[in-house]
Amino acid sequence: MMTAGHRDEELLVPTYRLTVNGRARVVQVEAATPLLWVIREQLGLTGTKFGCGVAACGACTVHVDGGAVRSCSFPIEAASGKSIMTIEGIAPTRWRALQAAWIAEQVPQCGYCQSGMIMSAAALLSEIPRPTRADIAAAITNVCRCGTYQRVEKAIMRAAAALDATTSAPGGAAP
Amino acid sequence: MAPDCADRFAGCDGPELSRRRFIELIGHGSGALLLSASWPAWAAVVDGSGAARSGEAGLNAWVRVAPDETVTIVVSQAEIGQGISTTLPSLLADELGASWSSVRLVTAPYDPAYRNPRLNWMFTGNSESVQSFYDLMRAMGAAARDMLVRAAASHWRIDPQMCATSEGFVVERGSQRRISFGRIASAAAQLDPPRNPTLRADAELRWLGRAMPRVDVPAKVDGSAVFGIDYAVPGMLIAAVRTSPTVGGSLRSYDEAAARRSPGVKAVVAVPGGVAVVADTFWRARRALAVMKCEFEGGPNAALDSPALMAQFRARLEQGPFATPVQQGDALRKLAQGARTLTADYENPFLAHATMEPMNCTAHVTALRCEVWAPTQGQELAFFALKSALGLEDKQIAVNRTPYIGGGFGRRLIPDFIVQAALISRAVGAPVKTIWDREEDLRRDQFRPATLVRLRAALDGAGLLQALHARVVSPTILLPVFPGIAPVLRDQKIDPSALEGMTEWPYEVEHRRVDFHLMDVPIPTSVLRATGYGPNIFALESFIDEIAAAAGVDPLAYRQRLLAANPRALRVLERAAALAEWQKPRASGAGKGVAFAAAFGSLIAQVTDVAVSDGQVHVKRVVSVVDCGRVLDPLIAAAGIEGGVVFGLAGCKSEITFEQGRVVQDNLNRYVMPYLAESPELITEFVEGGGKLGGVGEVSPVTVAASLANAIYAASGERLRSMPLSRHGLTLGAWR
Amino acid sequence: MRAFAVGRALAAMAVSAATAGLAPSAAGDEAAVREGRQIFAERIAPVLTHPRCLNCHTRGDFPRQGDDRHRHAFLVSRGADGKGVPGLQCSTCHQASNQDASGVPGAPNWHLAPLTMAWEDLPAGELCRVLKDPAKNGGRDLEALLRHMSGDALVRWGWQPGAQRRPVSLPHDQFVVALSRWIELGAACPM
């Protein structure tokens, strides 16, 4: 929606306001620019990766208003006014349990796909706190050329168990 | 560039940065780090020129100690996901006696000091980093230790034999006296390095054979790892490139005015075979490429298509000419006389590297200097390629390797994308980061070549293998990454890598002949993880199963017979069979397939379990047992084998074909990689057979195609003599 | 956007024309039935079974893609509500409009038609009956069905599919006219 943007009369490049990892940000960029490239270039957050540009690989996965989105295929104008979370914004949230699990299981090899993997895993766990292997297989279609899938599955299970223990402990609640 | 990112790109700030990052990581939900108390802490791989900073005492080219106790170790090998940036530095630090939490890692610049000692060339590949650097890392750690000990002993006026090192201190045995590395290092650096440093007994090493937490992992889970594609230098512009979709085509026309009108565009630059648009962001550069409406001449290969190309391969398979690099006994006569002969032709497809991070390079070239920052496996080849392309002197060129690289698989040994980036920077007169989009990356790949292999075997009356004749037709694998091999190709008409798995064979057979035709194709071909072993072992290990079937013998038992004189091989084979429960009765539609190979200095036996129904192949489990001599880090080694199986499976799922001169599979929605849902359960075990150190990174993909084909035969009775599965109306099934 | 506005105007005209005289005359019943069946078979069914429509009106656990109607890549599946599974919803990739940059098609509320509206492999007569049955078509009477086909943004995507996808062969305004005529004639189904 263009209500959150305005046209600069001289440059004709629209401005968009959005929240990224809890901070209000303003960007001035062409309307059709994919959110991926706004995140990487206008906002300088390079943790979200470019792998294919056609929504086939998932390396660009971020959260928009809590839902997973392949940001190479999501125009900035659709992000206007919305709340974006990238891999850089995970640590203060409960999804840091995923990062801890990824470290404990030593999941990454080259690591390039892992930001997207973790964001997809977070989207899964936000819907299914204790996923089965079949749930993981259905949800995680991110491409890993190094073949870390077995450890990805283990790490998701591990994080799910850790989060479950946290939320079911007295006083424990997900932020 | 947004201000909150600038600190990441300015280069290494030194120990403050690495300690701060370390503390940040510890601070993030510290209970969740879940490291066992006995695991040493890790150090962050930081960027930086590798040059010594003031106050640091350099003990040798590999290790420096600062007064604040920071032990800086140089990482010579490219971290492409194989964990080498943890294993080699920890070996040196272990031998030295440093405390791991004081270690800071820096990436080596291009320098002869960091060459692979075996080949005297700086590169990462061929699964040989551990094999080639093991002795050197221990020697360098021991040498530095020796100097610190002698300096401390001199300071205390005691015999150096009375001293040892431990956790960053030189200690006097049997007393409380100790002095930290930081305090004694300057004095130590004044001493002559020992010529033959004494190594510790292996039992003294803290970390050898234990799983180290990888130094690169934390940055790979929080988005802070800066890959080549993320790199930035002040004043940098970004280039997007489009070259001819056909191999060898050229640019005919483009609407330059439309590009220049496009937002953010600063320059339009011709590159060999195409054009680059340079802008303030990648997206704007790529957008401008699209509006430019580039038109290309098809060029000499505009009619190239896969069926016609493979027909040429088949013609060469029939007619040669051939070199004959292996002639043992008289295979041809045995085959003419043999009680029984078997013949089979196998075909391997072109494969793409498809590293998750597409090719890219940041270059800053002026009339007097060239500096590049590239995700490269081949710093030395890049150096010489730049020198040649730019006409600069040695000291005017700096090749920096980015500490994080999104996959290599051999593609990043080739310097083409680095030279292109340098030429663009020079033309523009500014630092430029050149990024290939996925289409460019797949079209301009240097593919794992397609090959044809004809195998003929003579069996005696008892079904024993008497003679084997192999005929291999393959384009070059080595030439683009090792130009020095050119005379061998020209004069002997062979490519040594394309003969891997054929020239040396682990099975006992009296008569063996290998003919080879070096195929000339217009498609660029080069090394891809598993190199020549991949295609040859698919043929050989499938053929062994076919022979076993003809002889009426179980494929495992047949191999045991062939390996009877090789106890190391028998051990891995039998262990794999045991883990895979080879003898267990199989359900209808299910099957197990075995494959064995000696590759990259290691032995591997692999058993694949499949279920086949309705054209779907469910790859349920793959057991891999590996003897790589000795395992330096079990978790890292296991990761390499596990990941390699999935990589090998990708070569059974998708292939690269050509139509009207173009690569058909020019993005990941067409060159489709295996999904988690399709990937097998992976069981991996190592056997330490006591031999020399062997490689790990490329070993497991070698046997995947054959063990899969053998399993499919067992499950369905259908024998696949080519990959991928789609050629046979089969698909990988999502079974998890 | 302009094409949509024009189409909407035409659709509105068609709806009012259709609802103006809904009950067919008793005398011309046989001819009306014959003509209605012919319109359905020749004009309406080809639209409903065109790949752009049929690829999301599947009867299995997944959508399809392409004119060859292969299974949608990336192992996407229907999920409980036709919107994908937790962690891989349609909205992960498909946005409210076609994306030229990535080639991914889009329209508001992108999702699979419910299984009751699965049209794959149905002969024309069965397709017609399923289409008309309020128990299967989301509780729509004929008037509501016409409004849905003429005005719903996801339906209309079939005619502006973006990238190099082939749109539905019969132009949308002619489709709406055919639908209205068919309804006017009594909405007879082929046998």
Side-chain angles (χ1 to χ4, degrees):
Chain A
M1 297 286 288
M2 285 302 294
T3 49
H6 69 268
R7 288 194 178 273
D8 182 315
E9 288 308 306
E10 275 156 44
L11 295 177
L12 291 175
V13 179
T15 303
Y16 300 97
R17 290 181 164 72
L18 55 167
T19 306
V20 181
N21 297 332
R23 283 177 58 185
R25 306 300 297 261
V26 180
V27 295
Q28 189 173 25
V29 73
E30 294 75 36
T33 309
L35 179 61
L36 168 66
W37 292 105
V38 174
I39 288 171
R40 288 182 57 83
E41 304 200 281
Q42 275 69 26
L43 298 178
L45 297 168
T46 57
T48 307
K49 303 305 188 195
F50 168 67
C52 70
V54 295
C57 77
C60 65
T61 305
V62 299
H63 293 180
V64 176
D65 283 351
V69 160
R70 293 191 176 181
S71 59
C72 71
S73 189
F74 192 90
I76 183 63
E77 61 181 346
S80 186
K82 301 214 170 124
S83 176
I84 316 293
M85 185 156 74
T86 71
I87 186 70
E88 290 92 343
I90 289 281
T93 74
R94 64 187 162 132
W95 305 126
R96 67 178 170 273
L98 281 166
Q99 295 174 312
W102 248 245
I103 292 174
E105 297 292 340
Q106 297 280 283
V107 176
Q109 291 188 27
C110 88
Y112 194 78
C113 75
Q114 301 294 344
S115 301
M117 256 328 156
I118 290 170
M119 299 308 287
S120 295
L124 168 64
L125 291 182
S126 69
E127 296 283 325
I128 307 183
R130 295 306 296 263
T132 62
R133 292 178 74 182
D135 291 329
I136 293 172
I140 306 299
T141 62
N142 301 57
V143 175
C144 173
R145 194 71 173 104
C146 299
T148 65
Y149 298 131
Q150 178 155 283
R151 293 192 190 188
V152 167
E153 184 191 77
K154 280 181 76 179
I156 292 175
M157 293 295 205
R158 187 180 191 129
L163 283 166
D164 206 24
T166 315
T167 54
S168 56
Chain B
M1 191 69 54
D4 58 347
C5 303
D7 62 357
R8 195 186 312 180
F9 303 121
C12 171
D13 276 334
E16 298 80 35
L17 178 62
S18 70
R19 288 225 181 81
R20 182 168 15 108
R21 267 215 54 64
F22 178 68
I23 289 163
E24 279 171 10
L25 292 165
I26 288 284
H28 286 162
S30 63
L33 282 177
L34 297 169
L35 292 173
S36 81
S38 59
W39 276 8
W42 65 86
V45 179
V46 291
D47 196 2
S49 68
R53 295 167 307 134
S54 78
E56 273 186 332
L59 298 173
N60 56 51
W62 295 86
V63 60
R64 312 192 281 270
V65 181
D68 68 0
E69 306 303 331
T70 305
V71 175
T72 296
I73 297 179
V74 176
V75 181
S76 67
Q77 299 308 94
E79 176 59 68
I80 49 175
Q82 84 285 51
I84 202 68
S85 63
T86 298
T87 302
L88 290 179
S90 66
L91 195 54
L92 191 158
D94 203 0
E95 185 69 55
L96 169 60
S99 108
W100 192 231
S101 60
S102 68
V103 170
R104 173 184 90 115
L105 300 178
V106 292
T107 305
Y110 164 60
D111 190 286
Y114 305 113
R115 285 176 168 157
N116 174 316
R118 186 181 75 83
L119 286 177
N120 199 29
W121 187 254
M122 187 175 181
F123 79 103
T124 304
N126 202 38
S127 296
E128 68 170 274
S129 292
V130 159
Q131 296 167 73
S132 299
F133 284 90
Y134 178 86
D135 290 339
L136 185 62
M137 290 295 96
R138 290 197 65 177
M140 291 293 104
R145 166 165 49 79
D146 176 88
M147 292 157 74
L148 290 163
V149 156
R150 279 157 47 209
S154 168
H155 174 67
W156 289 328
R157 297 188 216 278
I158 61 176
D159 188 330
Q161 301 277 3
M162 299 300 298
C163 300
T165 59
S166 171
E167 293 296 329
F169 288 88
V170 182
V171 302
E172 181 183 6
R173 296 181 212 273
S175 97
Q176 303 285 4
R177 199 150 57 155
R178 62 183 204 165
I179 186 165
S180 71
F181 285 2
R183 288 186 54 206
I184 200 66
S186 303
Q190 311 294 329
L191 303 176
D192 289 331
R195 240 170 291 141
N196 287 310
T198 310
L199 303 185
R200 292 178 191 272
D202 283 2
E204 270 184 57
L205 291 169
R206 294 159 288 172
W207 307 323
L208 185 66
R210 298 182 54 214
M212 293 288 279
R214 289 174 57 153
V215 301
D216 53 328
V217 157
K220 289 173 176 175
V221 305
D222 70 0
S224 65
V226 177
F227 292 79
I229 200 174
D230 307 320
Y231 217 76
V233 295
M236 187 179 79
L237 298 171
I238 325 262
V241 179
R242 189 62 73 222
T243 57
S244 166
T246 58
V247 176
S250 57
L251 192 55
R252 177 166 61 213
S253 70
Y254 57 91
D255 186 348
E256 181 160 346
R260 290 189 181 281
R261 276 195 303 271
S262 210
V265 171
K266 309 294 183 201
V268 177
V269 171
V271 297
V275 63
V277 176
V278 184
D280 57 358
T281 68
F282 176 71
W283 185 252
R284 289 183 174 135
R286 188 163 181 268
R287 191 84 195 89
L289 266 184
V291 305
M292 272 166 75
K293 298 199 197 349
C294 300
E295 290 199 357
F296 290 91
E297 293 288 356
N301 302 305
L304 181 77
D305 74 18
S306 286
L309 187 59
M310 294 323 292
Q312 288 176 35
F313 273 74
R314 277 193 290 277
R316 299 279 67 78
L317 185 69
E318 299 298 340
Q319 303 160 27
F322 301 107
T324 303
V326 176
Q327 267 202 101
Q328 183 189 311
D330 191 344
L332 295 182
R333 185 170 59 85
K334 275 292 175 193
L335 279 156
Q337 295 171 343
R340 252 165 106 191
T341 60
L342 246 83
T343 305
D345 286 356
Y346 298 89
E347 183 176 332
N348 293 281
F350 287 98
L351 296 178
H353 295 81
T355 55
M356 285 310 295
E357 179 191 8
M359 296 305 118
N360 63 82
C361 174
T362 302
H364 188 184
V365 180
T366 64
L368 293 179
R369 184 157 174 78
C370 165
E371 187 156 16
V372 302
W373 298 265
T376 175
Q377 293 172 250
Q379 276 169 272
E380 184 142 11
L381 190 55
F383 180 89
F384 285 103
L386 285 167
K387 194 173 161 192
S388 171
L390 300 172
L392 292 172
E393 311 266 309
D394 282 16
K395 58 182 175 353
Q396 294 174 303
I397 302 176
V399 178
N400 303 301
R401 185 184 71 226
T402 58
Y404 297 98
I405 300 174
F409 313 130
R411 179 59 179 91
R412 303 209 211 245
L413 283 166
I414 302 165
D416 55 343
F417 59 96
I418 297 174
V419 172
Q420 187 194 69
L423 293 174
I424 293 170
S425 170
R426 184 172 70 173
V428 168
V432 179
K433 175 168 64 178
T434 297
I435 301 174
W436 290 4
D437 60 18
R438 181 58 66 186
E439 290 82 1
E440 194 65 23
D441 179 89
L442 282 168
R443 288 178 192 146
R444 291 284 82 81
D445 197 6
Q446 307 225 357
F447 305 97
R448 198 287 299 270
T451 82
L452 286 186
V453 182
R454 171 169 293 166
L455 296 173
R456 293 198 302 146
L459 311 184
D460 68 12
L464 290 169
L465 182 61
Q466 290 193 299
L468 183 77
H469 177 208
R471 202 172 253 193
V472 177
V473 176
S474 174
T476 184
I477 290 178
L478 269 183
L479 190 60
V481 297
F482 188 37
I485 203 74
V488 173
L489 271 65
R490 183 190 61 228
D491 301 335
Q492 297 178 41
K493 310 243 188 305
I494 60 165
D495 179 294
S497 181
L499 281 164
E500 284 168 325
M502 286 285 175
T503 38
E504 281 171 24
W505 211 40
Y507 298 126
E508 289 281 311
V509 67
E510 204 185 330
H511 305 274
R512 207 161 68 87
R513 179 188 173 109
V514 178
D515 296 329
F516 182 84
H517 177 85
L518 184 62
M519 189 76 193
D520 193 19
V521 295
I523 295 157
T525 57
S526 189
V527 296
L528 180 146
R529 188 178 185 183
T531 56
Y533 287 107
N536 287 331
I537 297 299
F538 168 59
L540 287 167
E541 285 296 298
S542 298
F543 195 53
I544 294 291
D545 259 42
E546 295 204 52
I547 293 171
V553 177
D554 171 273
L556 176 73
Y558 201 86
R559 287 177 174 78
Q560 284 173 299
R561 245 173 14 192
L562 288 170
L563 293 169
N566 190 335
R568 268 186 82 197
L570 280 177
R571 199 171 154 200
V572 288
L573 186 63
E574 287 160 4
R575 184 62 187 146
L579 281 172
E581 301 175 287
W582 183 262
Q583 309 296 348
K584 195 168 160 188
R586 292 121 202 236
S588 157
K592 292 184 208 286
V594 64
F596 172 84
F600 300 102
S602 298
L603 303 178
I604 179 168
Q606 197 173 74
V607 179
T608 296
D609 258 89
V610 303
V612 183
S613 72
D614 285 335
Q616 294 226 332
V617 178
H618 291 176
V619 186
K620 295 286 195 56
R621 187 173 64 173
V622 175
V623 168
S624 303
V625 175
V626 176
D627 179 350
C628 55
R630 135 176 247 181
V631 177
L632 299 197
D633 186 317
L635 208 55
I636 288 177
I641 298 298
E642 290 163 11
V645 171
V646 178
F647 191 89
L649 211 53
C652 300
K653 180 175 180 181
S654 293
E655 62 173 316
I656 293 291
T657 59
F658 299 88
E659 242 171 63
Q660 294 179 2
R662 300 179 175 219
V663 170
V664 172
Q665 299 80 8
D666 62 358
N667 207 317
L668 299 181
N669 53 353
R670 284 186 271 280
Y671 193 67
V672 186
M673 295 289 92
Y675 297 111
L676 186 153
E678 297 165 338
S679 59
E681 188 194 349
L682 300 162
I683 311 276
T684 302
E685 214 176 83
F686 291 91
V687 164
E688 291 199 335
K692 285 171 53 180
L693 270 180
V696 166
E698 292 173 86
V699 170
S700 61
V702 169
T703 37
V704 169
S707 68
L708 177 63
N710 293 339
I712 291 172
Y713 178 77
S716 70
E718 188 185 353
R719 168 53 62 184
L720 272 47
R721 292 189 181 157
S722 64
M723 286 294 175
L725 296 173
S726 51
R727 292 188 183 207
H728 310 278
L730 297 169
T731 54
L732 272 188
W735 63 274
R736 283 176 103 103
Chain C
M1 294 303 275
R2 275 172 55 86
F4 267 48
V6 166
R8 262 204 291 280
L10 279 174
M13 283 161 45
V15 169
S16 55
T19 51
L22 209 46
S25 67
D29 260 357
E30 238 186 67
V33 165
R34 226 178 10 255
E35 194 191 336
R37 283 184 177 150
Q38 191 177 15
I39 290 175
F40 188 89
E42 290 176 9
R43 316 269 290 162
I44 296 171
V47 170
L48 303 184
T49 57
H50 188 278
R52 298 290 85 70
C53 302
L54 207 55
N55 283 347
C56 293
H57 279 267
T58 56
R59 62 191 172 105
D61 192 38
F62 48 82
R64 293 182 179 277
Q65 283 180 302
D67 287 343
D68 65 352
R69 306 204 55 246
H70 59 270
R71 179 180 175 157
H72 190 306
F74 325 127
L75 298 183
V76 301
S77 56
R78 177 179 287 275
D81 56 1
K83 296 186 173 170
V85 297
L88 193 64
Q89 304 270 283
C90 306
S91 59
T92 299
C93 300
H94 293 278
Q95 309 310 325
S97 60
N98 295 327
Q99 295 304 310
D100 283 340
S102 61
V104 177
N109 195 23
W110 191 272
H111 67 291
L112 278 181
L115 284 166
T116 56
M117 298 183 204
W119 296 339
E120 281 184 311
D121 304 324
L122 294 183
E126 190 54 31
L127 175 60
C128 178
R129 282 180 279 283
V130 162
L131 183 72
K132 281 168 61 176
D133 182 354
K136 296 200 170 124
N137 69 9
R140 294 180 170 96
D141 61 13
L142 291 169
E143 187 185 316
L145 193 64
L146 183 61
R147 274 201 302 277
H148 178 65
M149 298 290 204
S150 45
D152 182 272
L154 186 53
V155 171
R156 299 179 62 105
W157 171 84
W159 283 264
Q160 294 205 310
Q164 279 141 4
R165 280 174 284 272
R166 219 166 39 94
V168 177
S169 32
L170 184 68
H172 184 256
D173 53 345
Q174 294 181 37
F175 172 61
V176 172
V177 163
L179 260 179
S180 329
R181 181 75 183 130
W182 172 66
I183 290 171
E184 195 183 357
L185 292 169
C189 285
M191 299 305 289

